[in-house]
Amino acid sequence: MEFGWWVRDDPEQGKYQVLAVFHGGNVTWTRKQGHHTPWEPLTPITPELWDKLIAEASDRVPRRLMSPKQFDDLKRVRAKTEDLSSPTTLKRGAHLKRANDQP
C-alpha cells in the first residue's frame, strides 16, 4: 500500500514529495525533490512523518481501502521502530554469550 504527500515547510531542503510504501510488515520511505529527479531513500524519519503516515492510513480505514488489521500492523511497525531508535540500557551480563550459544 502506498501513501504519498508533499512536505512544504522544510527550510533546508525546500519542497519535496514523500512516498511511504507499507508491504509485508515493513515501511519503505523515499523522497523526490523535483519532477525529473529519481526517488531517493528518506532519512532521518521524524515523528512528524510517522504522524502523517498514521493520519493518512486512518483516513483509509473507514473507506475500506485499508483493513483494521493492516492499520494495527502499521501502528505496530511504528512502535517497533521507535523502540529500536531509543537507546536502552542492557541488563547486567547481557553482552556476554550464554554457554549454550557458543559453538
Side-chain angles (χ1 to χ4, degrees):
M1 185 163 295
E2 294 183 356
F3 301 89
W5 64 89
W6 284 89
V7 174
R8 294 180 178 91
D9 56 352
D10 192 350
E12 293 177 6
Q13 298 179 0
K15 182 173 92 169
Y16 59 91
Q17 188 175 2
V18 174
L19 179 69
V21 179
F22 177 61
H23 180 73
N26 296 320
V27 179
T28 306
W29 298 86
T30 54
R31 68 182 293 275
K32 184 168 131 173
Q33 191 76 27
H35 183 66
H36 296 290
T37 58
W39 289 97
E40 306 168 343
L42 176 63
T43 55
I45 308 303
T46 62
E48 292 82 19
L49 289 173
W50 274 110
D51 291 341
K52 179 68 175 173
L53 177 60
I54 297 295
E56 290 287 325
S58 67
D59 290 343
R60 293 184 185 193
V61 173
R63 296 184 290 157
R64 297 181 187 210
L65 299 174
M66 184 176 201
S67 71
K69 182 180 177 184
Q70 289 173 321
F71 184 62
D72 292 339
D73 288 342
L74 182 62
K75 290 191 291 187
R76 197 172 304 117
V77 168
R78 178 184 182 176
K80 183 174 71 171
T81 58
E82 287 179 347
D83 288 344
L84 292 176
S85 64
S86 64
T88 58
T89 58
L90 294 175
K91 293 182 181 177
R92 189 175 69 174
H95 62 283
L96 302 175
K97 284 190 168 185
R98 296 184 306 211
N100 58 359
D101 289 343
Q102 295 179 356

